[in-house]
Amino acid sequence: MKSLFCCPVCGGAMDRGEGSCRCGRGHSFDIAKEGYVNLLPANRQHSKAPGDDKEMAAARTRFLEGGWYGPLRDKLCKLVKEMATAAPVLLDAGCGEGWYTQALAEAVAFKGGRTAGIDLSKPSIKKAARRCPAGEFAVGTVYHLPLAEASIDVMVNCFSPLAAKEFARVVRPGGRFLYVVPGPRHLWELKEILYEEPYENEERREEYSGFRWLDAVPVETAFTLTEGQAIRDLFRMTPYFWKTPQAGAARLAERERLTVTAQFRVHILERTEGRVRYDGL
């Protein structure tokens, strides 16, 4: 079977066999028992274990499986079904543990499509591959995607690093890019506990070379966490975990109940005609 991924060494197409992916030049990459393949060259690793660690992946998995962000996942699936062509190829760039990817894969399978997910974190990709065996998953970086030019019909990026030029390289002209960012008052109640002077997130229209901005779809939901573990998991999966003053983290640690508002913006962009200069694989 032809793999959705291409060789990270030479850029050639790859066949996915029983236990490995191999390109025409003989570069071979083993498929792990969980079903993913590691396509991150050693010279692009900035640490021995890049990306989120096991604890971060576990916290995000526990929180997302609680269903608190279900309205966002449902909206993404609805948008994909509306805009996808026949037999679409979808990429979840920065797919994490695959909670969104699994539902997105079902949405594109409805139209005879295929799904790929890529993430820098090996612990996360292991979970994603087990969760969604119908998809193809790889350890890799969004800044050097192991994908052919114009090979993706729909790309989703949900709270993950943005590599606009690389995304424009792999999305076909006319294809769509769904970029999820926090709304102005996303997790506002959490921030009120963490910071003396909480601030709103900037809201702006997203414009990137190679893409035409179409719309920003709002998604908002409120929920109540009634266990300290769920509150800590939410905190752990946010950027605030790394930059919150000790006093703020201590205040949050005392909470066993928290009602919080999640506010998202799904920016919809269309890949325009013409090439965008890029560095290649």
Side-chain angles (χ1 to χ4, degrees):
M1 179 180 72
K2 287 293 183 184
S3 173
L4 295 176
F5 297 115
C6 65
C7 178
V9 178
C10 67
M14 294 199 298
D15 289 316
R16 184 180 177 92
E18 186 66 28
S20 66
C21 289
R22 181 184 296 270
C23 74
R25 293 188 178 183
H27 300 124
S28 182
F29 306 88
D30 292 339
I31 298 174
K33 62 180 181 180
E34 294 87 354
Y36 73 91
V37 62
N38 192 332
L39 299 180
L40 182 65
N43 62 357
R44 290 181 183 148
Q45 294 185 25
H46 301 297
S47 67
K48 290 184 178 180
D52 294 340
D53 59 21
K54 289 183 179 180
E55 289 74 18
M56 178 71 80
R60 188 160 47 234
T61 297
R62 285 192 299 267
F63 179 83
L64 291 174
E65 288 181 346
W68 312 114
Y69 281 8
L72 173 59
R73 185 173 66 172
D74 293 344
K75 177 60 71 173
L76 287 172
C77 290
K78 183 176 184 294
L79 290 170
V80 166
K81 287 180 179 179
E82 290 174 351
M83 65 182 58
T85 57
V89 175
L90 180 142
L91 174 69
D92 191 349
C95 65
E97 302 74 25
W99 188 74
Y100 295 100
T101 325
Q102 180 186 26
L104 291 167
E106 292 174 0
V108 298
F110 180 75
K111 293 193 173 185
R114 298 174 66 188
T115 297
I118 192 163
D119 199 277
L120 192 60
S121 164
K122 186 181 293 185
S124 297
I125 281 292
K126 284 183 178 181
K127 290 178 179 291
R130 287 196 295 262
R131 183 190 298 274
C132 183
E136 274 195 75
F137 292 90
V139 176
T141 170
V142 297
Y143 298 103
H144 296 279
L145 290 168
L147 292 156
E149 184 175 344
S151 61
I152 299 299
D153 298 295
V154 181
M155 173 176 286
V156 175
N157 180 277
C158 187
F159 290 114
S160 294
L162 176 73
K165 285 187 177 180
E166 184 69 344
F167 292 175
R169 180 182 71 83
V170 301
V171 177
R172 66 165 178 80
R176 300 299 170 86
F177 170 34
L178 303 183
Y179 181 35
V180 181
V181 300
R185 295 176 70 85
H186 181 58
L187 304 181
W188 184 255
E189 298 87 351
L190 178 68
K191 294 170 74 171
E192 286 184 310
I193 297 172
L194 298 176
Y195 303 110
E196 296 292 341
E197 297 182 3
Y199 56 91
E200 291 190 359
N201 300 313
E202 181 184 1
E203 185 158 33
R204 64 181 185 274
R205 177 169 165 165
E206 304 293 344
E207 298 280 5
Y208 304 108
S209 178
F211 290 101
R212 179 170 67 95
W213 185 89
L214 299 178
D215 197 5
V217 179
V219 180
E220 185 167 325
T221 183
F223 48 87
T224 299
L225 304 176
T226 58
E227 296 180 357
Q229 182 65 61
I231 296 172
R232 291 189 292 274
D233 287 342
L234 173 60
F235 178 44
R236 184 69 186 266
M237 61 185 271
T238 69
Y240 314 135
F241 179 78
W242 305 106
K243 58 183 181 182
T244 294
Q246 187 174 0
R251 287 194 296 271
L252 186 67
E254 297 175 354
R255 301 294 292 265
E256 293 295 326
R257 184 183 181 88
L258 178 65
T259 297
V260 64
T261 302
Q263 191 180 76
F264 313 99
R265 297 290 184 269
V266 183
H267 288 266
I268 303 175
L269 300 100
E270 180 182 47
R271 179 65 168 91
T272 56
E273 297 289 340
R275 299 190 66 182
V276 175
R277 183 180 178 182
Y278 61 93
D279 298 328
L281 293 169

